[in-house]
Amino acid sequence: MSRQLKLGAILTGVGTGQADWLSPEIPGDASVNIDWYREQARQAEAAKFDLVFIVDSPYITPDSAPHYLNRLEPLTLLSAIAGATSKIGLVATLTTSYTEPFNVARQFASLDLISKGRAGWNVVTTGLEGAAGNFGREEHIDHTERYRKAREHLEVVQGLWDSYEDDAFPRDKQHNRFLDPSRQHRLDHKGEFFSVTGPLNIARSRQGQPVIFQAGISESGRALAADFAEGIFAGVDNFEDAQAYYRDVKRRTAQAGRNPEHVVILPGIAPIIADTDEEARAIERHLHGELDLDKALVHLGRPFNYHDFKQYPLDAPFPELGDLGSNGYRGHAEHIKQVAREQQLTLRQAALRFATPFSHFVGSPQTVADEIERWFVEGASDGFNIRVTAPSEFKAFTERVLPLLRAKGLFREEYSHDTLRGHLGLPVVENRHTLARRVDAGLKIPA
Amino acid sequence: MSRQLKLGAILTGVGTGQADWLSPEIPGDASVNIDWYREQARQAEAAKFDLVFIVDSPYITPDSAPHYLNRLEPLTLLSAIAGATSKIGLVATLTTSYTEPFNVARQFASLDLISKGRAGWNVVTTGLEGAAGNFGREEHIDHTERYRKAREHLEVVQGLWDSYEDDAFPRDKQHNRFLDPSRQHRLDHKGEFFSVTGPLNIARSRQGQPVIFQAGISESGRALAADFAEGIFAGVDNFEDAQAYYRDVKRRTAQAGRNPEHVVILPGIAPIIADTDEEARAIERHLHGELDLDKALVHLGRPFNYHDFKQYPLDAPFPELGDLGSNGYRGHAEHIKQVAREQQLTLRQAALRFATPFSHFVGSPQTVADEIERWFVEGASDGFNIRVTAPSEFKAFTERVLPLLRAKGLFREEYSHDTLRGHLGLPVVENRHTLARRVDAGLKIPA
């Protein structure tokens, strides 16, 4: 079978944009309504999507967009969705800056067993300085330290996930032998940020370990991705940037000694689909017109740690910000500055341009399908994370665009696997202790 | 309606006893098998139980009993069970010693919304010294400090739960008004252990706040219970102790200025039911006979931080231990020492006696029902947490004992509520900020 598109559905409740919730289709409580989420996950599974994806962040202000203000927590949410689905992958965002690796390892391993091998962890470091205040710190951890900590956190979590080899539990009632203690392993990690003895009190799932996702586009984010990421939720918003990012990350992955096919790059997109390209563009203009500019300015300030953009004239060139944002969502902040400079945007234009963190693929079903094919074939992506808010929008994608992609032979008609690794074409992670034993015994190592 | 028994089902997978898993009825993977848990939760709901209860602890050694070695994590587990049930309460154990209040508040609030008002938190401080090593500490926090920290942790969590008043979200699309910012509240807590600004990014459920459970029987545990607990999973194992404990906690609750009816005391029991008392006692003797004494000694050592009891002669009097265990599960350790002393037990007898942490109500259905009634009527309990392992045991309870309790008018035929607070007769927690506003406005305060 030829190379296949990978598709994720970003379930966002009332939507991450500031005006999405105004749609008459979206219940005002969608972000805390488990029935709403279950139904969307079921629809994504019916469309044979690879995964559903939950974004997250642990800090709000009264100005935060509706979805951020009041939403279900990703791990509990996906555990609840697990029972309403049986095939689709379940990827939750969780920060390494304000969590204990032992607890994180345990909860993701538990989700992985509950879902029978469908869990993924989107590793973030939290870009909002205010988050520090929710976790007993006077100041936010700085960007470089955050990524050093993320790296160590991940090493600990993956080490804990291998606490038990896959044959650790003979469960032999006749001989009263539940555990084979030689297959249980302590970790005894001692590092800069964490000391963790282990073992973890939970075994591995059929996919070995949950899949590691990453979303950073800064230099530190890309370096982390090269070493750890198996999936990437890329925040790029045009073809050229996506292509450059794709090549850079695949090259870095190869240089890190990993198979570049084992990191799947999925830019986030929010398609706007109508019968004709013109109608779709009219809908986009209408959405921009509906935007509350004050709120768009707040949203624009988010990657810059909620910098107050209201202080600048709206129709003057985008302001000079120095290194503001370098300790926030650095990659996003730099991207906004660069685009505003290169395209000579005014502040108003920038606020509209970045009102949602997703690319808009705008046009007829054929136009959108062709654009998806172009990104996929010309080395800009391995697939996409589609933002899901209003049901009619998602339906337009699954009922009008997907058939075209299937006709092109780019997307599955049926699932051929039932784990997330299976869908994404990622290998089951061999347990490191089992592998070491094979080496010791001079046995063949699986590819 | 007269005062009604409250019943919880402690779902323990392969069982917390060291030999439970040997039962042919119990699959060896029960503790990591979500289908097993869902089915047991459904059966408990069919029997109209108040709640299911998940015990926990974040530390193991190769000697730990089977259930501890490999099990699902409580919050993800109960989120998964939520969708398979619609009425029964869901109570998860989680430590305050090695978690961030912001994350804990968020996950329980999320479980509470996912289950539509059925969540409860069993607050523990973790009695095992080895747990420290999994969370970057050289030494376990000492018993007194652990309880001081628990108190502050709880204050922060409950404060965060009130971040939004119940009318905080007008969700008025016509006027583009999602949040009423005057109904969103920061916490700005600064204490000995935690500094947390808030607000929490999730609203309250129909029951206001998750129900607080507590299980400590030490002096510090009772003091914490008096101030915070609304439910108690009591580890008492005979009528006299239970009665003394019950009176003490109810009195302390009253002295703390709270309504003693708003703390529901549920001793944990593992009934052994047969056609006749004699047969039931024979089964108990048989279970004791099957016990592996080496493992029973390990289990006995657990409250004493896995003290090695194998060093002592088996048939000599229970050894003198000084203040060993005072930094472990202090209440349990003291209880074991006291019982061994008062009943002049040998080490062998003590190992058999405490091989499970539950009282055995042993006898015919009538005997067990009568004993339950005696505890309930004579001020030793408000109900029980029934340990669930083998399906036939639970079935014996629900099909043979429950009808007798119903005939006595002690237990519901049908649910009359669909929140955990509703089942337990606990009031919905009024939001503190709403209450303050009522006071300011001179309005009537609800009872």
Side-chain angles (χ1 to χ4, degrees):
Chain A
M1 197 171 56
S2 63
R3 179 170 164 252
Q4 293 281 292
L5 269 173
K6 311 300 175 198
L7 293 178
I10 310 171
L11 308 185
T12 60
V14 293
T16 50
Q18 40 126 327
D20 299 328
W21 77 282
L22 296 172
S23 158
E25 281 185 75
I26 301 176
D29 71 347
S31 293
V32 288
N33 183 335
I34 189 63
D35 300 321
W36 182 256
Y37 276 105
R38 281 202 191 100
E39 180 53 29
Q40 291 195 324
R42 272 191 212 107
Q43 284 175 12
E45 185 166 272
K48 317 300 176 196
F49 269 48
D50 293 80
L51 55 97
V52 296
F53 195 101
I54 309 292
V55 297
D56 195 49
S57 121
Y59 173 66
I60 53 168
T61 75
D63 285 331
S64 297
H67 177 63
Y68 300 110
L69 286 171
N70 183 17
R71 58 173 154 181
L72 298 176
E73 183 278 334
L75 275 155
T76 44
L77 169 55
L78 289 181
S79 300
I81 286 178
T85 55
S86 65
K87 298 283 188 184
I88 198 163
L90 307 167
V91 184
T93 301
L94 196 80
T95 183
T96 51
S97 295
Y98 302 112
T99 53
E100 290 282 353
F102 192 90
N103 296 336
V104 171
R106 221 184 142 194
Q107 291 199 318
F108 273 102
S110 189
L111 174 63
D112 208 23
L113 287 176
I114 286 169
S115 64
K116 303 185 168 82
R118 297 186 281 137
W121 174 23
N122 179 40
V123 179
V124 299
T125 69
T126 299
L128 298 171
E129 288 184 353
N134 286 331
F135 298 95
R137 286 176 168 264
E138 295 287 315
E139 288 186 17
H140 192 41
I141 311 172
D142 96 1
H143 190 271
T144 316
E145 185 178 326
R146 253 163 41 215
Y147 273 90
R148 233 170 42 240
K149 189 173 182 182
R151 193 170 278 273
E152 190 184 330
H153 194 298
L154 255 164
E155 280 166 5
V156 173
V157 167
Q158 291 186 325
L160 288 170
W161 281 338
D162 278 355
S163 292
Y164 289 114
E165 296 182 59
D166 295 340
D167 58 354
F169 295 101
R171 294 172 178 137
D172 175 352
K173 295 190 186 197
Q174 207 183 332
H175 301 96
N176 194 358
R177 188 171 155 81
F178 188 78
L179 170 73
D180 175 352
S182 74
R183 299 296 194 258
Q184 184 202 55
H185 302 275
R186 287 167 61 104
L187 183 66
D188 289 323
H189 171 92
K190 264 193 192 308
E192 180 186 358
F193 299 97
F194 303 108
S195 303
V196 179
T197 56
L200 194 68
N201 51 0
I202 183 165
R204 294 157 35 110
S205 82
R206 295 189 300 152
Q207 67 171 353
Q209 295 189 353
V211 178
I212 300 296
F213 276 74
Q214 221 270 318
I217 53 176
S218 68
E219 176 60 32
S220 314
R222 292 171 192 226
L224 185 71
D227 286 337
F228 289 95
E230 304 175 280
I232 293 188
F233 170 31
V236 286
D237 70 353
N238 65 78
F239 178 75
E240 290 71 26
D241 286 356
Q243 214 178 30
Y245 178 81
Y246 185 91
R247 287 181 188 162
D248 183 53
V249 170
K250 294 276 180 174
R251 189 179 42 74
R252 286 175 191 247
T253 305
Q255 282 176 338
R258 299 174 57 216
N259 181 344
E261 286 180 16
H262 294 167
V263 52
V264 175
I265 300 180
L266 310 175
I269 60 172
I272 298 178
I273 298 155
D275 288 345
T276 66
D277 291 355
E278 228 156 76
E279 276 177 58
R281 279 196 298 269
I283 292 172
E284 187 184 30
R285 280 194 301 275
H286 175 73
L287 288 174
H288 276 181
E290 260 196 357
L291 280 181
D292 175 330
L293 204 64
D294 273 0
K295 292 191 174 169
L297 290 171
V298 171
H299 186 78
L300 184 68
R302 195 163 182 273
F304 303 89
N305 277 304
Y306 286 111
H307 179 65
D308 175 18
F309 275 102
K310 290 181 198 164
Q311 63 186 295
Y312 305 110
L314 269 172
D315 294 304
F318 189 79
E320 187 49 58
L321 297 172
D323 72 345
L324 202 76
S326 66
N327 198 30
Y329 288 100
R330 184 190 282 183
H332 288 287
E334 282 174 357
H335 176 67
I336 291 170
K337 286 194 269 192
Q338 187 191 337
V339 170
R341 192 171 52 242
E342 288 174 3
Q343 303 184 8
Q344 301 188 309
L345 302 180
T346 63
L347 177 58
R348 183 194 304 273
Q349 288 167 329
L352 294 177
R353 172 84 159 67
F354 298 106
T356 82
F358 299 100
S359 316
H360 289 185
F361 279 27
V362 183
S364 68
Q366 192 64 55
T367 298
V368 170
D370 291 346
E371 185 70 359
I372 285 176
E373 182 180 24
R374 182 167 79 107
W375 285 50
F376 180 63
V377 171
E378 298 184 14
S381 82
D382 295 311
F384 295 91
N385 256 327
I386 315 286
R387 191 195 58 163
V388 179
T389 48
S392 65
E393 284 172 23
F394 191 51
K395 216 169 155 179
F397 185 82
T398 58
E399 295 187 358
R400 305 185 67 186
V401 177
L402 265 195
L404 300 176
L405 293 170
R406 289 192 168 116
K408 292 171 191 272
L410 295 179
F411 192 63
R412 66 172 71 88
E413 304 272 352
E414 288 300 334
Y415 286 112
S416 50
H417 296 86
D418 48 13
T419 65
L420 179 52
R421 285 184 185 279
H423 302 327
L424 296 179
L426 300 171
V428 169
V429 177
E430 178 94 349
N431 185 294
R432 63 190 65 189
H433 305 288
T434 310
L435 202 55
R437 192 189 325 283
R438 281 175 192 273
V439 172
D440 290 345
L443 297 175
K444 190 166 174 295
I445 308 300
Chain B
M1 196 172 54
S2 64
R3 178 170 164 254
Q4 293 281 292
L5 269 172
K6 310 300 174 198
L7 292 178
I10 311 172
L11 308 186
T12 61
V14 294
T16 50
Q18 40 125 323
D20 299 327
W21 78 282
L22 296 172
S23 159
E25 281 186 76
I26 300 176
D29 70 348
S31 293
V32 288
N33 183 335
I34 189 62
D35 300 321
W36 182 257
Y37 277 105
R38 282 204 190 100
E39 182 52 29
Q40 291 194 324
R42 276 192 209 105
Q43 283 175 15
E45 184 166 275
K48 317 298 175 198
F49 269 48
D50 295 81
L51 56 97
V52 296
F53 195 101
I54 310 292
V55 296
D56 194 50
S57 122
Y59 173 66
I60 54 169
T61 75
D63 286 332
S64 296
H67 177 64
Y68 301 109
L69 286 172
N70 184 17
R71 59 174 152 179
L72 297 176
E73 181 279 335
L75 274 154
T76 43
L77 169 55
L78 289 180
S79 300
I81 287 178
T85 55
S86 64
K87 298 282 189 184
I88 198 164
L90 306 167
V91 183
T93 300
L94 196 81
T95 182
T96 50
S97 293
Y98 303 112
T99 53
E100 290 282 352
F102 192 89
N103 296 336
V104 171
R106 224 187 138 191
Q107 290 200 317
F108 274 102
S110 191
L111 174 63
D112 208 23
L113 286 176
I114 285 169
S115 64
K116 303 185 167 87
R118 297 186 281 138
W121 173 22
N122 180 38
V123 179
V124 300
T125 69
T126 301
L128 298 171
E129 288 184 353
N134 285 333
F135 299 95
R137 288 177 166 265
E138 296 285 315
E139 289 185 15
H140 193 43
I141 311 171
D142 98 1
H143 191 272
T144 315
E145 185 178 325
R146 254 165 37 218
Y147 273 90
R148 235 172 39 242
K149 189 173 181 180
R151 193 171 276 273
E152 190 184 331
H153 195 299
L154 255 165
E155 280 167 5
V156 172
V157 167
Q158 292 186 323
L160 287 171
W161 281 338
D162 278 354
S163 291
Y164 288 113
E165 297 182 57
D166 295 340
D167 57 355
F169 295 101
R171 293 172 179 136
D172 176 352
K173 296 190 186 197
Q174 206 183 333
H175 301 95
N176 194 357
R177 188 172 155 81
F178 187 80
L179 169 74
D180 175 352
S182 73
R183 299 296 195 260
Q184 183 203 55
H185 302 274
R186 285 166 63 105
L187 183 65
D188 289 322
H189 171 91
K190 265 194 191 306
E192 180 185 359
F193 300 96
F194 303 108
S195 302
V196 180
T197 56
L200 194 67
N201 50 359
I202 184 166
R204 294 156 37 111
S205 82
R206 295 189 300 154
Q207 67 173 351
Q209 294 189 353
V211 176
I212 299 296
F213 275 74
Q214 223 271 319
I217 55 179
S218 68
E219 176 61 30
S220 313
R222 292 171 194 226
L224 185 70
D227 286 337
F228 289 95
E230 304 175 279
I232 292 187
F233 170 30
V236 287
D237 69 354
N238 66 78
F239 179 77
E240 291 71 24
D241 286 355
Q243 211 177 35
Y245 178 81
Y246 184 93
R247 287 180 188 160
D248 181 53
V249 170
K250 295 274 182 177
R251 189 179 41 73
R252 286 173 192 248
T253 306
Q255 282 174 335
R258 298 174 57 215
N259 182 342
E261 287 180 16
H262 294 166
V263 54
V264 175
I265 299 179
L266 310 176
I269 61 171
I272 298 178
I273 300 155
D275 288 347
T276 67
D277 290 355
E278 229 157 75
E279 279 178 55
R281 279 194 298 268
I283 292 172
E284 186 184 32
R285 278 193 304 275
H286 175 73
L287 288 175
H288 276 182
E290 264 198 352
L291 279 183
D292 175 330
L293 205 65
D294 273 1
K295 292 193 175 169
L297 290 172
V298 171
H299 187 79
L300 186 67
R302 195 163 183 274
F304 302 91
N305 277 305
Y306 285 112
H307 180 65
D308 175 19
F309 276 103
K310 291 179 198 166
Q311 64 185 293
Y312 306 109
L314 270 171
D315 294 306
F318 189 80
E320 187 48 60
L321 298 172
D323 72 347
L324 203 75
S326 66
N327 197 28
Y329 289 100
R330 183 189 284 183
H332 288 286
E334 283 174 354
H335 175 66
I336 292 171
K337 288 194 266 191
Q338 186 190 339
V339 170
R341 190 171 53 243
E342 287 175 4
Q343 303 185 11
Q344 301 187 312
L345 302 180
T346 64
L347 177 57
R348 184 194 301 273
Q349 289 167 329
L352 294 176
R353 171 83 157 70
F354 297 106
T356 81
F358 300 100
S359 315
H360 288 186
F361 279 28
V362 182
S364 68
Q366 191 65 56
T367 299
V368 171
D370 290 346
E371 186 68 356
I372 284 176
E373 180 179 28
R374 181 167 80 105
W375 284 48
F376 179 65
V377 170
E378 296 183 16
S381 82
D382 295 311
F384 295 91
N385 254 329
I386 316 287
R387 190 195 56 161
V388 178
T389 49
S392 66
E393 285 173 24
F394 190 52
K395 216 168 155 180
F397 185 83
T398 57
E399 294 186 359
R400 304 185 67 185
V401 177
L402 266 194
L404 301 175
L405 294 171
R406 288 193 169 116
K408 292 171 190 273
L410 295 180
F411 192 63
R412 65 172 72 86
E413 303 274 353
E414 289 298 335
Y415 287 113
S416 48
H417 296 85
D418 48 14
T419 65
L420 178 53
R421 288 185 181 277
H423 302 327
L424 296 179
L426 300 171
V428 170
V429 178
E430 179 94 351
N431 184 293
R432 63 191 64 189
H433 305 288
T434 310
L435 202 55
R437 194 190 325 282
R438 281 177 193 275
V439 172
D440 290 345
L443 297 174
K444 190 164 173 298
I445 308 298

